[in-house]
Amino acid sequence: MFYSRYAPIGEQFAVPAKPNDFSNAKVILFNTELDTQLGLNWDLDTARSYLSGNRPLPGAQSVCLAYSGHQFGQFNPTLGDGRAHLIGSLITNGNEVFDIQLKGSGATVFSRGGDGLCALGPAIREFVMSKALSSLGVPSTQCLAVLSTGDSVYRQGELPGAVVARVAHSHIRVGSFQYLAMQQDSQAMLKLLELTMKDVGLQSNEITEEDIFSFFEFVCDAQCDLMLKWLQVGFIHGVMNTDNTLINGETIDYGPCAMIESFSFNRVFSSIDRQGRYAFGQQPNMASWNCGRLAESLLLLVEDEQVAIDRFSKILVGFSERFNQGYTQLWRNKLGILDEQPGDQELVTELLEIMTRNELDFTNTFASLTAIKINRQQAQYPAPHELDEWVKKWQLRIQDHESSEIAAVMQRHNPAIIPRNDLMEEVIRDFYQYGNSDVLDSWLAALSAPYNYDNYPEKWLLSQTNTKSYQTFCGT
Ligand code: AMP
Ligand code: MG
């Protein structure tokens, strides 16, 4: 039923490694929907036995993957899974391939002095954020479960330990290619390319240089589309290093991420992002930069470097063009503008400037505009006078279309509810204190239908986050 997907690339890339056996582990969060989607149908005991490192998955060998990475612009040749074990892959009845990976499952050859463990807080954060993002329509890795290990981990103090069972369509990153390029291992890279191209439905037999360019274009498109989705919902990843950039365009690594709340393209929450490299508005540039690092790695497989550099550069220009088109369309969708007219971009810019000046909440501003068009009773958020003036202009701009038509488009692009940062902290605090959270179940249910304009508790809608002092940390 399970198999070792990355074994053909070689043991230098998929290094056999056993996860810790946490004999006191307990499943504290389980994603039943995902369990069904994968066709596992596990009860909690079965889940516990496989995901606590107690029992191997039948048919698969557990490995940790090697990768390199540009971390905040600096190349680190040997990163790899320092606290994760990929315990097996599976193909569902619907013919989809998934990997199951444990994170926080003990030290590996890639730990570089780290303990290989994960604290409960970041594990819960990953569970909630990945579920919320998937429901928002953002491609993402998902969490099958979170287990408490019963052991402590030591960070700023003693914390309860946890394991996250992460599920992804693939764990191949830009950094995976960088690793094989650094090793000058063209044979292994070709195998990795074949495997990756097959998984995403590209021609993968006897790969030609043309196929390599198509592959690169596929990755650029996937990254570009992901950036537009992050922008649409107000997601700040926080650590967009090349080792955290999946080839298939899924969001991975939820360490220091956060939702934007009060709007500014310069918003940064991550404590280690001091220069704002991965600020909200910088994300598309950085995704394109990361694609550039993939192109460099792929040069290992081409005959004529100069010709290939020209082709890769053109494709990267295509990234910007695709992004710019998507960007204009995104704001039209968020504002229910159903046709194109000169001056639209100015209207958008004016709104974004008002939002920045007044520190308006990103989600609530667009949700309020949507509510006007749905014509529903919706909590009224304090609006500055200049926003009222802007709303009049906007209403004039869209007056030629039916409100119901406008509302339908806006509702699809403006979530009413997002995983707000302060609530996330509250849920994590509850888990630390009581071992569970009263808020979590009902909150998760609401987050799984974020485009429903239901009557949610005010507390879920209004931001308590102090953007000046709120900080996120890598889950180390
Ligand atoms: P991340 O910031 O989660 O993307 O991790 C960057 C690198 O550090 C990866 O190679 C991780 O495997 C490694 N790493 C992060 N935390 C730990 C830890 N607690 N123990 C060992 N390695 C870690
Ligand atoms: Mg990572």
Side-chain angles (χ1 to χ4, degrees), residues 67 71 80-81 83 103 166 173 239 243-244 252-253:
Y67 48 83
Q71 299 180 298
D81 290 332
R83 53 167 168 164
K103 189 166 158 185
R166 178 161 75 187
R173 311 144 191 263
V239 62
D243 52 303
N244 294 333
I252 190 168
D253 237 309

Side-chain angles (χ1 to χ4, degrees), residues 299-471:
L299 287 177
L300 184 67
L301 298 179
V302 304
E303 290 265 305
D304 186 330
E305 278 209 358
Q306 201 46 55
V307 171
I309 289 171
D310 287 350
R311 287 295 295 276
F312 286 136
S313 307
K314 282 208 181 83
I315 297 169
L316 275 176
V317 172
F319 182 117
S320 305
E321 288 166 359
R322 185 182 179 94
F323 183 79
N324 290 339
Q325 272 176 16
Y327 183 84
T328 313
Q329 190 54 43
L330 171 67
W331 296 117
R332 282 214 176 88
N333 288 337
K334 285 183 81 69
L335 292 174
I337 299 176
L338 305 182
D339 54 358
E340 293 179 26
Q341 275 181 28
D344 285 346
Q345 197 48 54
E346 285 74 13
L347 191 70
V348 171
T349 305
E350 195 185 337
L351 172 64
L352 296 180
E353 282 172 3
I354 293 171
M355 288 168 67
T356 310
R357 263 198 303 279
N358 295 279
E359 300 191 346
L360 297 185
D361 186 90
F362 183 70
T363 302
N364 287 347
T365 304
F366 286 98
S368 300
L369 296 174
T370 308
I372 297 175
K373 285 290 143 194
I374 302 177
N375 210 7
R376 281 231 201 132
Q377 281 293 336
Q378 175 83 0
Q380 289 301 307
Y381 307 104
H385 177 66
E386 51 177 343
L387 183 62
D388 289 339
E389 291 302 307
W390 180 90
V391 167
K392 286 181 199 148
K393 280 194 224 170
W394 167 67
Q395 297 267 36
L396 266 178
R397 170 64 185 87
I398 57 176
Q399 66 184 351
D400 292 342
H401 288 88
E402 288 289 328
S403 277
S404 58
E405 217 187 327
I406 294 169
V409 172
M410 291 183 76
Q411 209 175 331
R412 278 204 301 280
H413 293 89
N414 297 318
I417 182 165
I418 51 155
R420 290 194 174 276
N421 304 321
D422 50 320
L423 279 166
M424 181 72 79
E425 299 299 329
E426 184 181 322
V427 166
I428 292 170
R429 259 195 320 272
D430 283 359
F431 261 92
Y432 276 142
Q433 228 173 334
Y434 312 113
N436 63 31
S437 167
D438 288 343
V439 189
L440 187 62
D441 284 347
S442 46
W443 192 39
L444 271 179
L447 289 172
S448 69
Y451 298 101
N452 282 1
Y453 277 59
D454 291 338
N455 277 326
Y456 302 112
E458 279 275 290
K459 180 177 146 154
W460 293 4
L461 299 174
L462 293 179
S463 172
Q464 308 296 325
T465 307
N466 179 348
T467 46
K468 303 270 182 328
S469 61
Y470 186 68
Q471 279 204 321

Side-chain angles (χ1 to χ4, degrees), residues 191-204:
K191 281 188 198 151
L192 178 64
L193 198 59
E194 275 166 11
L195 185 147
T196 314
M197 289 174 71
K198 184 160 172 267
D199 287 346
V200 297
L202 295 173
Q203 196 298 110
S204 60

Side-chain angles (χ1 to χ4, degrees), residues 39-53:
L40 295 172
N41 303 314
W42 283 348
D43 58 31
L44 290 189
D45 274 345
T46 312
R48 200 201 83 86
S49 67
Y50 289 131
L51 305 179
S52 65

